[in-house]
Amino acid sequence: MTNNLKTYTILTLLVVGLVFLGIGCTGNENSEGPSEGAPAAESQSIFLKGSDTVLPLAQAEAEEFMIENTDKSVTVTGGGSGVGLTALIDGEVDIATASREIKTEEIEAAKANGIDPVETTIAYDGISVVINPENPVTELTFDQLRGIYNGSISNWEDVGGEDRQIVVISRDSSSGTYEYFKEEVLQGDEYRPDALTQPATGGIVGEVSQNPNAIGYIGVAYLDGSVKALSLDAGNGSEAPSSENILNGAYPLSRALYFYTNGEPSGLTKEFVDYVLSETGQSLVTEVGYFPIEQ
Amino acid sequence: MFNRNYKEKTIESVLFSVSALTVVILLLICLFLFRDSLLLFKETSLLDFLTGKFWYPTSVNRQFGLLPLFFGSLIVTAGAILFAVPLGIASAIYISEIAHPKVADALKPFIEILAGIPSVVFGFFGLVILVPAVQNTFNLPTGQTALTGSIMLGIMALPTIITISEDAISSVPSTIKQGSLALGATRWQTIYKVIVPAALSGISAAVMLGMGRAIGETMTLMMVTGNTAVIPSFPGGILDPVRTMTATIALEMGEVPQGSAHFHALFAVGTVLFTITFLINLIADLIKNRYRFKVD
């Protein structure tokens, strides 16, 4: 009994300690928040938040940058383009990363908060439409793809495949890829309501790689041997999502990736943005699986 | 003497303020939840929200219909209960009445470990093992279905149901048990005619609490149910993908612009969820109190 009591006391103390530690940590972040606006130039640490598509790239850039500048710190988190831009509007981060352009309502919200979002293109990305390797289909026209995603085509037979029901997979609405795909492919239509919604790209790859009925869309950087990327035809012939086709714009689903900053970048933020745009930074872009911007 | 009293009073008031803090936090959560969800009804009527059949939060003609999400949660929870209750009660009876005390002592820690597994681990297990298994067994277009979610939730609700049912069964007075055996009833007759009925209120409370646990679960369901916001048919819908209220909030909270109708709609979904779990816990409490009275 006494022993039990002791264990409980120790456990309780531990929990209480952890809670206070937690409070302490958030407290620190908060106290850094407001000071961020004015002396941004002297600040030796910056925060990036936003697109999960940009995340692997931003992380690689931050790591390399910190190896070269050991006294400076760059922290990167994901969550989705919308999350990053909201954080920028609230003044919580120095750079919001995004895989889509900022929306007008977001610009308005930013202006209302005294934030002036400035856009920098850092790389290009391609979206590949993927299916299970067992599925014999190799290419789709844009109209077919739109039909599959808006609900008017539901069987693989209608697009040159076997007689199987199509299982359509989409990302959740916090993904920049979701918005981009909706805009480019659905062109004003809604996603079919019975589409599966996956909270992460990994979920899409997982389901497509084990389900011969499935179709999904992912960033080209996430392509691996477990899924098959389709060639797409937007009216100018069928194009595979190869780096060449994405860079020269022949592949229809390619897009830019952005950094958004409050005003023109300055201080460490400028240093980091310049690093990403430099030759070293852009060679990292290729390494991660995206496509460098043309200088 | 005065010093000692003073010390006592200090300790007392510290403890009081800590417990009061819990109540204050709960009230604040309620306040913000209700305030933000009420703002939705500036744009959508309450009736449209509660009886709407479509959840299209980001389209041009946005619609915030609760029904697909509500029925999604309902079908998954009902399936989980159907799965977990027989298993849970059977385990509880075995542990408290049939098993050798040494076996029971060996089993209990495993049930507690089951309760301690993080839900994302359950989700991962479900995604990798159960989803393909369900797809192949029923020959479905996809294995991400309500059934998959139900099975995972059932496993997760088991520890709650077993522990509380076992408590209820063990607290049936041994005099009743011995009386039954003395009258010539077999052990099995004693269990299902005497012990289980005497512990029924406690077992019902266990089921309600298991249900509360199931309806609030998020991560596991988001990973294995496919998150399709359509009203499931009955009973065939158990083999279709569904989206629960919890998964909707978790999926969409990331993007939603603060202060928009969509933002408030997610809060309204949260309020509905809160109300449901509150009612379930209240019912469980009422049943539990009745049961205490009966046994005394």
Side-chain angles (χ1 to χ4, degrees):
Chain A
M1 195 62 214
T2 344
N3 244 341
N4 254 343
L5 243 156
K6 241 185 205 164
T7 341
Y8 277 120
T9 321
I10 291 170
L11 268 178
T12 317
L13 283 179
L14 244 169
V15 170
V16 171
L18 278 176
V19 168
F20 275 105
L21 202 76
I23 293 172
C25 288
T26 41
N28 275 345
E29 258 174 47
N30 280 345
S31 58
E32 263 166 41
S35 64
E36 198 181 289
E42 297 98 55
S43 159
Q44 289 302 295
S45 72
I46 55 171
F47 292 92
L48 277 75
K49 191 174 197 172
S51 164
D52 286 328
T53 308
V54 186
L55 185 63
L57 172 60
Q59 236 155 14
E61 299 279 3
E63 276 163 24
E64 287 301 316
F65 181 78
M66 285 189 287
I67 289 172
E68 282 181 26
N69 306 278
T70 39
D71 54 331
K72 290 158 189 166
S73 120
V74 179
T75 314
V76 186
T77 53
S81 303
V83 177
L85 288 167
T86 308
L88 182 76
I89 291 165
D90 291 342
E92 287 163 11
V93 294
D94 303 274
I95 300 176
T97 64
S99 56
R100 61 163 168 82
E101 278 184 15
I102 190 166
K103 294 179 192 166
T104 0
E105 15 178 326
E106 283 164 338
I107 297 178
E108 279 161 21
K111 293 260 159 69
N113 264 9
I115 304 272
D116 168 33
V118 171
E119 176 184 296
T120 312
T121 307
I122 56 157
Y124 289 95
D125 178 30
I127 302 294
S128 47
V129 176
V130 292
I131 57 173
N132 190 280
E134 276 178 39
N135 192 327
V137 175
T138 54
E139 58 175 55
L140 289 175
T141 67
F142 244 52
D143 282 339
Q144 287 172 330
L145 191 61
R146 184 178 173 195
I148 288 172
Y149 269 89
N150 71 14
S152 57
I153 300 177
S154 293
N155 197 307
W156 281 110
E157 219 174 12
D158 300 336
V159 292
E162 296 161 340
D163 177 22
R164 295 167 179 275
Q165 193 188 329
I166 304 180
V167 172
V168 177
I169 308 178
S170 141
R171 271 299 303 276
D172 60 281
S173 61
S174 33
S175 151
T177 321
Y178 169 97
E179 295 278 341
Y180 173 77
F181 194 84
K182 187 173 173 185
E183 221 162 86
E184 292 295 313
V185 175
L186 286 166
Q187 296 168 14
D189 291 352
E190 286 304 316
Y191 280 99
R192 59 193 299 156
D194 63 353
L196 302 187
T197 309
Q198 293 296 318
T201 300
I204 297 183
V205 175
E207 175 72 5
V208 171
S209 64
Q210 61 92 17
N211 189 342
N213 309 320
I215 183 167
Y217 54 83
I218 62 175
V220 168
Y222 288 94
L223 269 181
D224 59 22
S226 65
V227 292
K228 183 165 81 176
L230 292 176
S231 298
L232 295 179
D233 181 356
N236 310 317
S238 188
E239 302 286 353
S242 64
S243 52
E244 213 180 289
N245 284 341
I246 287 169
L247 279 182
N248 65 25
Y251 182 72
L253 287 181
S254 41
R255 62 175 171 177
L257 304 177
Y258 305 100
F259 275 178
Y260 282 94
T261 46
N262 177 17
E264 286 297 331
S266 63
L268 183 57
T269 310
K270 180 172 167 48
E271 243 176 89
F272 182 65
V273 173
D274 287 346
Y275 178 80
V276 173
L277 296 178
S278 74
E279 216 167 292
T280 353
Q282 288 296 305
S283 70
L284 274 174
V285 170
T286 323
E287 235 169 79
V288 175
Y290 298 126
F291 306 96
I293 51 170
E294 287 154 82
Q295 300 289 346
Chain B
M1 202 60 194
F2 171 77
N3 197 12
R4 199 168 146 193
N5 265 339
Y6 186 73
K7 213 167 144 191
E8 287 271 319
K9 277 271 177 281
T10 318
I11 293 171
E12 213 181 290
S13 48
V14 167
L15 291 181
F16 170 76
S17 44
V18 171
S19 3
L21 191 68
T22 323
V23 180
V24 171
I25 290 172
L26 179 69
L27 287 179
L28 282 178
I29 290 176
C30 289
L31 186 77
F32 282 102
L33 199 59
F34 285 104
R35 196 198 60 181
D36 271 313
S37 42
L38 280 179
L39 290 173
L40 170 70
F41 303 119
K42 274 189 196 162
E43 254 186 62
T44 315
S45 78
L46 180 64
L47 199 71
D48 280 349
F49 172 67
L50 289 180
T51 61
K53 294 194 180 85
F54 301 99
W55 181 262
Y56 288 145
T58 52
S59 71
V60 188
N61 298 312
R62 46 190 173 193
Q63 291 191 49
F64 302 109
L66 181 70
L67 285 187
L69 315 178
F70 179 77
F71 282 116
S73 282
L74 193 72
I75 197 166
V76 173
T77 309
I81 290 302
L82 284 182
F83 175 78
V85 165
L87 268 181
I89 296 179
S91 312
I93 291 175
Y94 177 73
I95 289 175
S96 55
E97 291 300 319
I98 301 170
H100 189 276
K102 270 187 186 158
V103 179
D105 279 348
L107 278 177
K108 279 188 202 166
F110 285 102
I111 293 164
E112 275 154 33
I113 290 171
L114 196 62
I117 296 175
S119 55
V120 64
V121 176
F122 275 111
F124 190 63
F125 170 81
L127 194 63
V128 176
I129 311 284
L130 200 60
V131 167
V134 167
Q135 181 178 5
N136 295 331
T137 313
F138 296 96
N139 201 10
L140 299 170
T142 174
Q144 303 204 359
T145 61
L147 178 71
T148 323
S150 290
I151 296 176
M152 289 319 297
L153 269 194
I155 297 174
M156 295 171 78
L158 267 180
T160 315
I161 295 182
I162 295 177
T163 321
I164 300 175
S165 308
E166 196 233 313
D167 266 0
I169 292 171
S170 311
S171 56
V172 172
S174 59
T175 44
I176 300 184
K177 215 185 306 174
Q178 281 155 6
S180 162
L181 291 169
L183 285 170
T186 63
R187 219 163 137 197
W188 172 238
Q189 283 169 333
T190 308
I191 288 173
Y192 84 93
K193 288 216 159 141
V194 177
I195 296 176
V196 170
L200 198 61
S201 329
I203 293 174
S204 320
V207 172
M208 293 309 276
L209 287 175
M211 215 159 117
R213 168 99 171 82
I215 207 160
E217 180 47 50
T218 311
M219 196 61 198
T220 311
L221 290 179
M222 198 159 84
M223 291 169 83
V224 303
T225 57
N227 305 310
T228 298
V230 277
I231 298 181
S233 59
F234 188 80
I238 191 90
L239 293 177
D240 287 334
V242 292
R243 184 195 284 198
T244 62
M245 294 189 275
T246 47
T248 304
I249 300 178
L251 278 171
E252 293 174 4
M253 212 51 178
E255 160 71 359
V256 57
Q258 261 193 31
S260 67
H262 186 191
F263 181 81
H264 296 306
L266 291 180
F267 268 93
V269 173
T271 308
V272 172
L273 200 60
F274 175 80
T275 315
I276 294 173
T277 33
F278 177 77
L279 285 178
I280 289 177
N281 281 323
L282 198 72
I283 294 171
D285 235 34
L286 286 177
I287 298 174
K288 237 185 198 132
N289 286 339
R290 209 186 94 199
Y291 138 82
R292 261 193 217 121
F293 168 76
K294 220 173 161 182
V295 168
D296 292 342

